[in-house]
Amino acid sequence: MTHFFVLLQKDLLVGWRGRSRLVGLVTYGTSLLLLFSFALGADSAVLREHAAAYLWVALLSASTLLLAQSFQHETEAGALEGLLLVPVSPMALYYAKATANLVLLLFLAVALFPLTAVLFDLQGGISPLRLAAVVTLGSAGLVGPGTLYAALTARLASKQVMLPVLLFPLVIPPVVASVKGTQLALTGDPMGQLVSWLSLLLIFDLLYWSLGGILLGKVLDE
Amino acid sequence: MNKTLLLGALGVLVMLVGHGIGLFYAPPEAYMGDTGRILYVHVPTAWVGMLALTAAFAMAVGALWNGKAIWDSYMEASIEVGVVFSAMLLAQGSIWAKPTWNTWWTWDPRLTTSAIMVVAFIGVLLLRGAVHSPSRRMAFSAVATIIAFVDVPVVYFSVEWWETTHQGFSGRDNVDAVMRFPLLVSLAGTTLLGLAFIKARQRIAWARHLEEERAPDLPETPAPLSLPDPSNQKENLG
Amino acid sequence: MSEPVVQVEQLSRRFGKRWALARVDLTLYAGERLLIMGQNGSGKTTFLRILATLTQPTLGTVRLFGADPVRDPWSARARLALLSHQPSVYEDLSARDNLRILARLRGIPDQTASWLERVGLEDRPEPVHTYSAGMRKRLSFARVLAQEPQLVMIDEPYGQLDPGGFALVDGLIREISERGATVILASHLVERASRLTERALLLHRGQPRWTGEASRAPLAWQTLHEEAR
């Protein structure tokens, strides 16, 4: 447990010291949001209706870069081997890394949301609490399997392609649930459907955060 | 004669009998007419695809916890056969959807889930190609197979909530007895064929494994260097 | 006699179709200092990585501190340190941050200031990616000091060092050894490294070719090269 907190602190410190990269990711997300508007045309009604979808595609896309970076720190100077020799258990390593990635992805979401609201002209009636719940559970759904796959692809020559190729089909459930949930949190939830989407996210998160903790050790062995 | 070939030939024979009865003797389907006869191809394809991927999952669990290369070769074979059958399933679905719903593609849960599954497992096959160390290839693709397989029901569930327009499952309730017989024969034949494919593909994977592992014998240690006597060391060093 | 720290028999490792290490035998007792000499690709690094539990042997047996590290690497890992070609640090953090994290993970008191002073990095608050190769090497040694291991393996201690660094490294290796650690150096600077060690093992193409007192190591090294010629 001590290891978990030290590692989490370490990952957040690395994130903070390399904050220029985070700024880069926010900029990347921003350009994606702008691109969606241009790709679809300046029909503000259409854009508003699909704002949640654009936000999540931007987050998903930026998350693969974030995830890849999180393991690049570990492999570029052999830090991961140093950790294994401490020794740190792969489980502590996974949970610390996944939690740190969740925090960083949430930071990205918080940075991109106001932009989404402005660009796509979101109207009032937004429920911040519901939105926070959807964004947190949805982001956890992306980083849960994403952290494991980032570790798995970190040492491959074709890692830039392999990470999204493996991750994207897998995270369709959290993306679907997050988009629907975000829409409901933005425009109101008269039918009370939000709870079902949140529970789908919760099930997915529990499943993959458990699998990740068990399986990371199998990926680090040689 | 080769057992795998025999199994495959038997499969094709039984499958053709099933298809023959289905095409020429069974009555046309009540609502869909003759296009409904795709049932005898479609259901067995779906079954074998799912069977192969389930086998791949079981092999992946075995490979991770036991580490023997034989699991890896069956895993590779099952994934590949599973991907091929699932891809055929998508093609058949599209072909059937065109005359029936006048579109090649609908976003119904089973079709969409199958498509996602095919892409996910193609990813696993690509991963196998990207990893050179045999032990890592086994571990990495086993992990990816487990993750992808566990995802299938969740994907299905989420897509079903997202949109629904498809037929219910084919079961005893909505398949008439006259149609059930050719369906069962086709199922049996296709399953035999699928198993033969897996076995044949596994044999290739195993041969590749043996080739990869074929190494020169561990060399004998050569005689230790004999150093010049310390007393005439000076002389030697000049 | 007490149990050996390292005991390997017929240790062999194959990568693809090549035996990187073939039939190496070695027994080391607590406090001994061993030099492994060999050219690049002679199997030195593979040997050290197997002893560090990071690579598994294909054949043969390894025992570290009396236990089998292939079955249970965890207890051995807590007692050994490997100083490899990479410094095993985070490039975006400073030397101080890196050492502090290591101390907290190992659960030992934080003496970062004294470790840094010992290797001459006390005034370096910048991130590691700005360090020179020599400074990285110093940081690697600071990590070993911080870990207080019972078995220390150093792969190419003099690699990437400026001339001023040689004496510093010699001093650090002596210090680590005086604290009671068993030390294994892998180097092709035989003359220099043999002065720090008692015994030596010569590897050539993964095979052991000679073993004996370190004082005779330079002669063995020379003999191997004459034979090759």
Side-chain angles (χ1 to χ4, degrees):
Chain A
M1 214 50 194
T2 334
H3 279 177
F4 168 78
F5 286 112
V6 179
L7 290 172
L8 175 59
Q9 222 175 342
K10 177 267 294 174
D11 280 325
L12 293 176
L13 184 66
V14 170
W16 173 245
R17 290 284 155 81
R19 53 191 175 276
S20 59
R21 279 191 302 266
L22 273 178
V23 174
L25 285 180
V26 173
T27 317
Y28 174 72
T30 308
S31 357
L32 280 177
L33 289 176
L34 285 171
L35 272 176
F36 291 132
S37 334
F38 287 116
L40 278 127
D43 182 339
S44 39
V46 171
L47 290 175
R48 190 181 309 143
E49 195 190 333
H50 298 296
Y54 306 144
L55 175 66
W56 278 99
V57 172
L59 277 177
L60 172 64
S61 188
S63 79
T64 59
L65 302 178
L66 177 78
L67 290 162
Q69 276 174 12
S70 77
F71 269 90
Q72 197 183 332
H73 307 310
E74 301 290 345
T75 49
E76 64 188 352
L80 188 61
E81 272 184 14
L83 290 183
L84 291 177
L85 288 181
V86 160
V88 167
S89 79
M91 205 176 261
L93 203 68
Y94 172 80
Y95 287 114
K97 187 65 88 185
T99 309
N101 283 337
L102 175 61
V103 171
L104 296 177
L105 189 59
L106 285 177
F107 167 81
L108 215 62
V110 169
L112 289 182
F113 184 74
L115 256 154
T116 313
V118 172
L119 279 177
F120 304 129
D121 192 24
L122 298 183
Q123 310 289 333
I126 299 170
S127 158
L129 210 70
R130 289 174 173 179
L131 189 64
V134 174
V135 171
T136 307
L137 289 178
S139 303
L142 300 187
V143 301
T147 301
L148 180 66
Y149 274 148
L152 199 138
T153 52
R155 279 170 293 191
L156 300 183
S158 52
K159 56 174 172 259
Q160 290 94 337
V161 183
M162 284 316 297
L163 178 58
V165 160
L166 290 170
L167 188 60
F168 284 179
L170 204 72
V171 293
I172 283 168
V175 169
V176 166
S178 299
V179 170
K180 291 282 180 184
T182 306
Q183 269 171 0
L184 295 173
L186 290 180
T187 57
D189 178 22
M191 317 271 281
Q193 296 163 298
L194 185 63
V195 182
S196 341
W197 290 115
L198 285 179
S199 28
L200 178 65
L201 280 176
L202 195 66
I203 290 167
F204 186 91
D205 291 354
L206 286 176
L207 192 61
Y208 280 95
W209 281 63
S210 322
L211 276 175
I214 298 166
L215 293 177
L216 185 71
K218 303 285 177 191
V219 170
L220 297 180
D221 279 352
E222 189 174 349
Chain B
M1 204 168 109
N2 175 332
K3 273 185 218 152
T4 311
L5 197 61
L6 210 65
L7 189 70
L10 184 67
V12 172
L13 205 72
V14 175
M15 192 176 80
L16 286 178
V17 170
H19 289 176
I21 302 173
L23 280 179
F24 301 111
Y25 298 98
E29 214 267 348
Y31 302 103
M32 295 180 273
D34 279 340
T35 53
R37 295 181 196 273
I38 193 175
L39 181 79
Y40 308 114
V41 180
H42 204 54
V43 172
T45 310
W47 158 250
V48 174
M50 209 53 228
L51 186 74
L53 292 179
T54 309
F57 170 74
M59 299 303 150
V61 173
L64 270 195
W65 267 268
N66 153 308
K68 295 263 164 58
I70 188 88
W71 293 91
D72 189 55
S73 63
Y74 275 106
M75 175 168 68
E76 179 178 311
S78 313
I79 296 173
E80 217 170 281
V81 171
V83 164
V84 168
F85 273 81
S86 304
M88 290 193 327
L89 184 72
L90 290 181
Q92 293 164 8
S94 256
I95 293 166
W96 175 81
K98 187 63 185 167
T100 314
W101 293 335
N102 198 27
T103 172
W104 293 109
W105 188 260
T106 65
W107 291 100
D108 94 283
R110 264 190 286 164
L111 185 58
T112 310
T113 305
S114 306
I116 293 167
M117 201 168 70
V118 168
V119 176
F121 279 98
I122 288 177
V124 180
L125 290 175
L126 287 172
L127 179 68
R128 288 187 68 85
V131 185
H132 301 299
S133 148
S135 60
R136 276 204 179 157
R137 188 191 309 134
M138 170 157 71
F140 284 19
S141 52
V143 166
T145 301
I146 291 174
I147 294 267
F149 186 78
V150 169
D151 208 38
V152 173
V154 194
V155 170
Y156 179 77
F157 198 48
S158 63
V159 181
E160 191 180 45
W161 277 6
W162 181 62
E163 197 122 53
T164 306
T165 48
H166 204 304
Q167 313 289 316
F169 279 98
S170 308
R172 276 168 189 279
D173 304 336
N174 52 7
V175 178
D176 194 73
V178 230
M179 293 160 70
R180 204 183 304 149
F181 176 69
L183 178 59
L184 286 178
V185 176
S186 304
L187 257 174
T190 316
T191 306
L192 291 179
L193 183 62
L195 290 176
F197 278 151
I198 290 179
K199 182 62 200 159
R201 184 60 185 78
Q202 184 270 341
R203 200 174 285 168
I204 297 171
W206 186 246
R208 282 200 186 134
H209 164 77
L210 290 180
E211 170 55 29
E212 233 169 29
E213 289 296 303
R214 202 181 60 188
D217 289 341
L218 183 60
E220 288 300 330
T221 305
L225 284 178
S226 59
L227 303 196
D229 197 303
S231 52
N232 23 334
Q233 196 172 340
K234 262 194 194 107
E235 213 174 290
N236 262 313
L237 292 173
Chain C
M1 202 169 206
S2 65
E3 202 163 30
V5 173
V6 175
Q7 190 169 27
V8 306
E9 276 166 26
Q10 296 288 297
L11 191 68
S12 311
R13 167 73 205 215
R14 188 161 57 76
F15 289 114
K17 304 211 175 296
R18 197 175 62 84
W19 287 98
L21 207 60
R23 300 182 196 270
V24 177
D25 296 322
L26 176 70
T27 306
L28 270 185
Y29 289 93
E32 281 193 295
R33 299 184 297 271
L34 173 79
L35 164 65
I36 300 175
M37 34 181 182
Q39 290 144 331
N40 293 336
S42 60
K44 300 192 299 285
T45 299
T46 304
F47 189 34
L48 291 192
R49 286 183 63 84
I50 292 177
L51 293 184
T53 74
L54 290 172
T55 298
Q56 300 209 343
T58 307
L59 292 171
T61 58
V62 195
R63 293 189 84 74
L64 293 176
F65 308 102
D68 179 3
V70 176
R71 199 169 299 156
D72 166 33
W74 301 102
S75 58
R77 283 178 182 182
R79 301 165 79 175
L80 62 84
L82 170 69
L83 200 158
S84 68
H85 299 279
Q86 294 183 312
S88 297
V89 293
Y90 295 94
E91 299 266 355
D92 283 341
L93 304 183
S94 65
R96 184 177 301 271
D97 290 334
N98 270 298
L99 290 178
R100 205 170 273 159
I101 290 163
L102 179 66
R104 289 182 59 199
L105 287 174
R106 277 248 171 173
I108 50 178
D110 185 351
Q111 302 165 301
T112 313
S114 85
W115 296 324
L116 285 174
E117 199 180 332
R118 185 67 194 81
V119 298
L121 284 177
E122 62 271 32
D123 303 318
R124 294 293 183 172
E126 324 79 317
V128 172
H129 65 76
T130 63
Y131 288 16
S132 69
M135 285 163 72
R136 284 158 179 262
K137 193 65 133 191
R138 288 161 192 248
L139 177 55
S140 302
F141 272 99
R143 278 180 51 92
V144 175
L145 292 178
Q147 291 179 70
E148 300 200 348
Q150 289 159 275
L151 170 62
V152 180
M153 286 163 274
I154 308 178
D155 201 355
E156 295 297 352
Y158 305 108
Q160 302 164 319
L161 277 184
D162 40 67
F166 280 53
L168 177 76
V169 163
D170 285 350
L172 286 166
I173 293 173
R174 285 209 180 87
E175 182 177 335
I176 290 165
S177 170
E178 274 157 21
R179 290 186 187 181
T182 308
V183 177
I184 304 179
L185 304 182
S187 180
H188 53 247
L189 289 182
V190 172
E191 193 74 55
R192 185 161 197 115
S194 65
R195 279 185 238 137
L196 295 168
T197 48
E198 302 154 336
R199 290 171 53 196
L201 168 69
L202 174 58
L203 289 180
H204 186 60
R205 293 180 184 156
Q207 296 176 311
R209 290 303 308 275
W210 178 83
T211 178
E213 285 173 28
S215 58
R216 305 244 291 158
L219 185 60
W221 186 243
Q222 194 193 7
T223 311
L224 178 79
H225 284 83
E226 274 164 13
E227 184 197 74
R229 207 181 301 146

